[in-house]
Every structure is written in C-alpha cells, then in structure tokens.
Amino acid sequence: TMSKKYYLALFAIILILFVFFSQRITFHDSHEYISVAKYLAGIHNVNVFIGHSIVYPFFMSFFLRLWPSVIMIVLVNSLWIFLMGAVILFFLDNTKAFILFAFSPLTWFVSIQTTPILPASFFFLLAFIFFKKENISFHIFFSGLFLGIACSLYTPVLLIGFLFILVYFWNKNFKSVIGYVVPLFFGMLPRFIIDYYYFGMPLYTFIRYVGANLIVSLGLNPATDTLHL
C-alpha cells in the first residue's frame, strides 16, 4: 500500500541524514574491516591484518571503487538496516513490527557501524522467515542457503545456526537435516572461493579466526580477556 511506501521512504530519508550527520562510527573490529575493504578496492596505504571473514570487506570494496569515502562505507552499512525494515514491512506485512524496529535505539546505534553483523542479521532474518513460510516453494532450501550466507559473512553465526538446526530439526529425520545442511554449505561457498582466491587456502579465515579465539580463551592475548564485565 501507499502508506507502507511512505513509511519506508521516510525511514530511508532519516537513515541517510543520520549517516551524513553522525560523527562517531567506531565499532568492534571496524578498523579491520575498513582497512581490508580499502585494500581490496586498491587503496594500499596500510598493511592488512586478517582475523575474520573478508566476504563483507570484499563486498564493500566495490562501492569504495565508485566513491572512496567514509560516507560510502557508512551508507553501505545502513543499507542492511533499510533492507531489514523493508522485509519486515512488506514481506512479513507487519507494520507494528516495522515501527518497533524503526524506533529501536539499537537499530540506530548499529546502522552506521562497519560490521558484518548487519548483513549477517539480514540473511539470518531471511533464513528464519523462509523456514516458517511453508507456502513458498523450496522454502527449506532457501532458508538453508540464506543461513549459509550469514555464516560466510560472520563466523559466530555458525553457533547460532547449530542451535537453530538443533531446535527446529529435533524431531526430524536425518534426511531432512541433510536437506537443510547442503544448501547451507552452498551459501558458505563465497567465503571459500574468496579465501582461495586471495590466500590460496579455502579455509584460511576460518583457521585464523579459530586460532585467534583460542589464544584469547587461553588467556594468552595481552590486550583482551575472555570475560568482560
């Protein structure tokens, strides 16, 4: 309906204004993701350290080639918030949920942050919706595919995905689980392909991530601890 289009258009306008007038955009690991995105876009002004998936920096690098600016990075980040709002408003057809989402302080806090949590959240939302939408053809396949993309973007989603499968397939047969895990694997292929292209090893960033977290868990990292009060 037109009212929903007006809601979404207003949401988009405020998001863009928020992007242009925000002064602090530092978030957890943002510097790493931005540096990698700049490097992949051809801006080699710093040495790159990789401890996470580079799928999202790889995605951002295409936009930085068009306009190498912090504003462009933040616009790309806020795009996922806009898309989540659009899915809630039109795909779920839930205006009340959209209003709650649009007025949530958390929504605005993370909207301008450079983190793969944003696109991973978007694809996880799609995975959950498609899992529930039994009237959609191949809904299980698409759910698994979107969950796999979320995992390729942000490694901790693997844990969430494991719990998701454990809960929703508890009473299902093994064939159903395999039918979900296979498209999930296909969704993770972009990470394997990008890792192989840049590092010659399809599991490179997975190994780096597990290794870094193991060091922290063992208390061997002088800069951080496992427990943060």
Side-chain angles (χ1 to χ4, degrees), residues 2-208:
M2 288 303 297
S3 60
K4 290 183 179 180
K5 292 180 180 178
Y6 289 139
Y7 289 152
L8 193 62
L10 180 62
F11 186 54
I13 292 171
I14 297 175
L15 261 178
I16 294 172
L17 292 174
F18 192 60
V19 165
F20 277 90
F21 287 101
S22 295
Q23 297 296 315
R24 293 178 176 85
I25 58 172
T26 300
F27 197 63
H28 182 63
D29 294 323
S30 289
H31 303 87
E32 179 184 341
Y33 296 119
I34 292 173
S35 297
V36 175
K38 288 167 61 180
Y39 186 88
L40 297 179
I43 307 170
H44 303 159
N45 58 346
V46 294
N47 292 326
V48 173
F49 171 80
I50 301 293
H52 299 85
S53 168
I54 66 167
V55 175
Y56 190 44
F58 177 78
F59 174 79
M60 289 192 296
S61 69
F62 291 99
F63 294 89
L64 286 178
R65 291 177 186 273
L66 299 175
W67 184 24
S69 167
V70 173
I71 295 295
M72 175 57 85
I73 292 175
V74 183
L75 279 172
V76 173
N77 295 327
S78 63
L79 170 66
W80 303 105
I81 295 294
F82 172 79
L83 291 176
M84 280 187 268
V87 166
I88 294 170
L89 190 59
F90 289 99
F91 195 18
L92 290 182
D93 193 24
N94 195 327
T95 304
K96 290 182 179 179
F98 171 78
I99 292 174
L100 287 172
F101 177 77
F103 280 92
S104 168
L106 181 61
T107 295
W108 295 97
F109 177 76
V110 300
S111 65
I112 55 173
Q113 311 301 341
T114 304
T115 171
I117 294 174
L118 292 174
S121 298
F122 170 73
F123 284 107
F124 183 79
L125 174 64
L126 287 180
F128 183 76
I129 291 173
F130 272 87
F131 185 84
K132 290 293 186 178
K133 293 275 188 179
E134 298 181 0
N135 59 314
I136 299 177
S137 300
F138 307 107
H139 72 104
I140 293 296
F141 174 86
F142 286 112
S143 176
L145 183 69
F146 290 134
L147 183 57
I149 295 174
C151 292
S152 73
L153 286 159
Y154 189 57
T155 311
V157 179
L158 282 170
L159 176 60
I160 301 174
F162 172 76
L163 295 174
F164 183 90
I165 294 173
L166 188 66
V167 170
Y168 287 102
F169 288 86
W170 183 259
N171 293 320
K172 304 291 184 180
N173 56 41
F174 184 70
K175 183 179 179 181
S176 299
V177 177
I178 293 298
Y180 193 77
V181 172
V182 169
L184 189 153
F185 173 79
F186 281 117
M188 294 181 66
L189 279 179
R191 181 166 181 173
F192 299 143
I193 294 171
I194 294 173
D195 275 14
Y196 182 77
Y197 179 81
Y198 284 104
F199 308 115
M201 169 61 178
L203 299 175
Y204 181 82
T205 55
F206 275 112
I207 295 172
R208 289 295 300 269

